[in-house]
Amino acid sequence: MPAPGSVPKVELRGVKKRFGDKVVLDGLDLVLQPGHSLVVIGGSGTGKSVMIKCVLGILRPDAGQIFVDGQELTRLSGRARDEVLKKFAMLFQGAALFDSLPVWENVAFGLIQGRGVARAKAKDIAIQKLAKVGLGADVAMLSPAELSGGMQKRVGLARAIAADPDIIFFDEPTTGLDPIMADVINDLIISTVKDLGVTTLSITHDMVSARKISDHIAMLYKGKIVWAGPTAEIDHSDNPFVDQFIHGSAEGPIKMEVRA
Amino acid sequence: MNVFAAIGRVTLGFFRETGRLSLFTADSVTGVVRPPVYWWLIAQQMMRIGYFSLPVVGLTAFFTGGVLALQIYNGASRYGAESFVPVVVLVGITRELGPVIAGLMVAGRVAAAIAAEIGTMRVTEQIDALTTLSTNPIKYLVVPRLIAAVISMPILVAIADSIGVFGGYIASTQSLGFNGSVYMNNTMNGLTFDDVSSGLIKAAVFGFIIALLGCYNGFNSKGGAQGVGAATTNAVVTSSILILAANYLLTNLLFTK
Ligand SMILES: Nc1ncnc2c1ncn2[C@@H]1O[C@H](COP(=O)(O)OP(=O)(O)OP(=O)(O)O)[C@@H](O)[C@H]1O
Ligand SMILES: [Mg+2]
């Protein structure tokens, strides 16, 4: 039982998820404290995105519990569940912008559709949020297809912060960007997080980004968290999985499943 | 390879797919009655499904009406029954060919477009993004398309009926030596409410099938561009087959009393 005042923002207990015969999450436990910036690292295909999608209510876990602010999300349904899910925002791996809508409507989408804000007002807010991620009002009328990958990530970030969420999830925020743009995105994440005072959960296999944007790190391997601790301790974790991963070595306990 | 195992697998796959489609249908239909209603999206989809299908449906209806007149004349003249041509064209178009031809053409155009669009949204995580923005993807994507298709198809078929009959008229007066006003008179006298309305009921059902299967295949596509391609093909094939099957059932239901 957690003591009052230290209720975790998000907690996963024994979460399991499989697709057919393939077990992806195998009794995963994870705690995200309020105000923390936690990064979950792990190899490709270890189920990092699946984990986040379980918390976001996009996938239903097969077993286990997920708590948000002490409320058991996995037991809620209907309006109560929607209310809890409104605390979340997400920056997707590929930005996932709606390509049928102009940039500003992408950013304003959650306000207009989810919260019933009038379009004119939502547009003003969208332009403010775009400014926060370093994009001018001229970008607002463009279509997402006209933007570069880095700009799409920025618009995705603007969309994520538009409805003033409590918790933001970042799925591989820097993957597929050049190192300089990756650093720009890292800085943007840090500044918006500080600005809004939100709790964040990010997943990445980019260690540079992980060190920069996190204060805590957890490592996912074979459907379980094998190590969790403050970012400062990652270099002396004494955990062979973590050591192998941060040094990017092929030798170690992690065996890549290479199939022809 | 064990024959029984193979048969079993196919059978199980069939029931799994049917079950999933039924759940999807139930979700979509309950979505129709629950707020919010996206009026603007419905209007937009009516343009795309109905209005932009007019040229292709109109053209096919015109030629079908013409061919129908030529063939019926050929058959009827063997018994000296040429004067039945107008009414047989009318009945054939309004009861069967109008709705079925329009249904198949729209299935090719619209079910494919819907599956491709929604499939792309699926594989690029746009559908997941909707969920995180407090928007139910079924209600935002599926319901407007269903409503728009169910409303547009009968309108489209009413127009196709008129053009089809007109096609018969042109063929009969230009190639078969019919007198124009006699042909029109015969057509008007043969016109019954039941013939037309049964065709329009079929049209609404076909519209439902087209939008539902377009959306269903799009929602369940996976694995990038190839998956979207497969979903698109599947949407056209399954909706066309279902339209023909539903047509048989509806004809049985509406006309064999
Ligand atoms: N909807 C789904 N249906 C079936 N299998 C799935 C589904 N979603 C994910 N998987 C499988 O689950 C596994 C984990 O996928 P996930 O996307 O979570 O990996 P990841 O850790 O995010 O990898 P990456 O770093 O490459 O993004 C993969 O093997 C994937 O094929
Ligand atoms: Mg991923």
Side-chain angles (χ1 to χ4, degrees):
Chain A
M1 266 288 116
S6 75
V7 180
K9 206 73 195 162
V10 178
E11 183 176 4
L12 289 85
R13 281 192 211 154
V15 171
K16 293 190 180 179
K17 180 74 191 173
R18 58 196 286 176
F19 297 103
D21 300 334
K22 188 178 168 72
V23 177
V24 179
L25 303 181
D26 189 17
L28 183 138
D29 299 302
L30 186 71
V31 176
L32 174 61
Q33 296 293 352
H36 280 192
S37 290
L38 174 67
V39 166
V40 174
I41 57 174
S44 288
T46 46
K48 302 185 298 295
S49 297
V50 168
M51 175 191 77
I52 282 200
K53 283 177 185 173
C54 284
V55 180
L56 283 169
I58 295 168
L59 293 172
R60 267 191 194 282
D62 303 328
Q65 300 160 293
I66 296 171
F67 297 87
V68 178
D69 287 325
Q71 271 184 295
E72 189 177 345
L73 181 64
T74 26
R75 282 222 186 138
L76 297 176
S77 62
R79 183 152 305 169
R81 184 163 174 273
D82 291 346
E83 283 308 311
V84 173
L85 293 178
K86 272 191 183 173
K87 298 178 182 182
F88 299 137
M90 166 94 173
L91 175 57
F92 284 87
Q93 199 160 347
L97 301 179
F98 305 125
D99 34 35
S100 57
L101 300 176
V103 164
W104 78 265
E105 259 193 272
N106 265 281
V107 177
F109 194 91
L111 296 169
I112 297 173
Q113 305 297 347
R115 280 151 223 247
V117 177
R119 285 175 71 86
K121 180 151 180 253
K123 187 170 182 178
D124 289 342
I125 299 176
I127 288 175
Q128 280 170 31
K129 301 289 175 183
L130 283 169
K132 276 214 162 122
V133 298
L135 294 173
D138 49 322
V139 177
M141 299 310 294
L142 296 179
S143 119
E146 296 173 75
L147 306 181
S148 72
M151 281 165 99
Q152 291 189 0
K153 287 266 160 107
R154 291 192 200 205
V155 175
L157 179 58
R159 182 172 74 180
I161 60 176
D164 295 320
D166 267 10
I167 307 157
I168 309 183
F169 297 86
F170 296 99
D171 191 350
E172 317 257 356
T174 57
T175 309
L177 302 178
D178 70 71
I180 299 170
M181 183 52 85
D183 204 48
V184 170
I185 298 286
N186 285 334
D187 286 337
L188 267 177
I189 290 176
I190 295 167
S191 64
T192 42
V193 165
K194 213 178 262 162
D195 242 31
L196 302 170
V198 291
T199 308
T200 69
L201 174 60
S202 316
I203 53 186
T204 187
H205 32 72
D206 172 359
M207 276 313 297
V208 179
S209 171
R211 285 173 197 274
K212 191 154 180 183
I213 63 176
S214 69
D215 47 41
H216 287 75
I217 292 184
M219 172 144 180
L220 180 61
Y221 180 68
K222 290 225 161 141
K224 289 194 177 75
I225 297 294
V226 291
W227 183 82
T231 305
E233 287 172 20
I234 185 107
D235 287 313
H236 11 85
S237 64
D238 285 334
N239 183 301
F241 294 99
V242 174
D243 284 341
Q244 187 191 351
F245 192 83
I246 62 179
H247 297 124
S249 154
E251 301 297 318
I254 304 175
K255 296 282 176 264
M256 281 290 160
E257 288 174 32
V258 186
R259 272 169 295 182
Chain B
M1 195 35 126
N2 186 332
V3 183
F4 294 105
I7 293 174
R9 222 179 348 260
V10 170
T11 316
L12 281 180
F14 175 77
F15 282 117
R16 185 164 51 231
E17 200 63 18
T18 315
R20 276 167 49 159
L21 180 59
S22 311
L23 282 178
F24 187 84
T25 311
D27 260 10
S28 308
V29 172
T30 49
V32 172
V33 293
R34 273 178 319 180
V37 184
Y38 298 103
W39 297 107
W40 167 243
L41 291 179
I42 295 174
Q44 210 179 7
Q45 290 302 325
M46 283 184 69
M47 280 299 279
R48 292 174 57 181
I49 297 171
Y51 185 74
F52 291 125
S53 297
L54 264 177
V56 59
V57 169
L59 273 174
T60 40
F62 180 81
F63 289 119
T64 307
V67 163
L68 194 58
L70 296 180
Q71 295 289 26
I72 290 165
Y73 180 84
N74 188 309
S77 62
R78 294 174 204 170
Y79 305 95
E82 293 91 339
S83 60
F84 287 116
V85 169
V87 72
V88 178
V89 167
L90 178 72
V91 170
I93 289 282
T94 53
R95 283 189 174 193
E96 291 296 335
L97 290 170
V100 171
I101 297 264
L104 292 178
M105 294 315 279
V106 175
R109 250 196 100 245
V110 172
I114 292 178
E117 187 183 9
I118 294 187
T120 306
M121 293 186 74
R122 163 61 78 205
V123 300
T124 56
E125 298 187 305
Q126 290 179 52
I127 293 183
D128 294 340
L130 281 175
T131 311
T132 65
L133 295 165
S134 319
T135 304
N136 180 334
I138 296 269
K139 291 190 39 192
Y140 186 79
L141 294 172
V142 181
V143 169
R145 284 167 174 78
L146 272 184
I147 295 177
V150 170
I151 298 173
S152 312
M153 272 301 283
I155 300 174
L156 206 53
V157 166
I159 298 170
D161 285 353
S162 319
I163 296 177
V165 168
F166 178 68
Y169 168 88
I170 294 290
S172 304
T173 51
Q174 300 304 309
S175 319
L176 305 174
F178 273 81
N179 174 297
S181 58
V182 172
Y183 190 98
M184 265 302 145
N185 252 331
N186 277 351
T187 301
M188 287 307 168
N189 289 336
L191 198 61
T192 71
F193 177 78
D194 278 1
D195 290 342
V196 177
S197 65
S198 66
L200 300 187
I201 291 172
K202 284 180 175 181
V205 174
F206 298 167
F208 183 83
I209 291 173
I210 290 165
L212 184 77
L213 279 132
C215 293
Y216 174 76
N217 283 289
F219 256 78
N220 288 299
S221 55
K222 38 177 147 310
Q226 206 177 5
V228 176
T232 308
T233 311
N234 257 333
V236 176
V237 172
T238 50
S239 59
S240 302
I241 293 173
L242 266 183
I243 283 174
L244 295 174
N247 185 48
Y248 178 79
L249 289 178
L250 285 170
T251 303
N252 244 329
L253 211 76
L254 292 165
F255 297 117
T256 48
K257 288 171 187 159

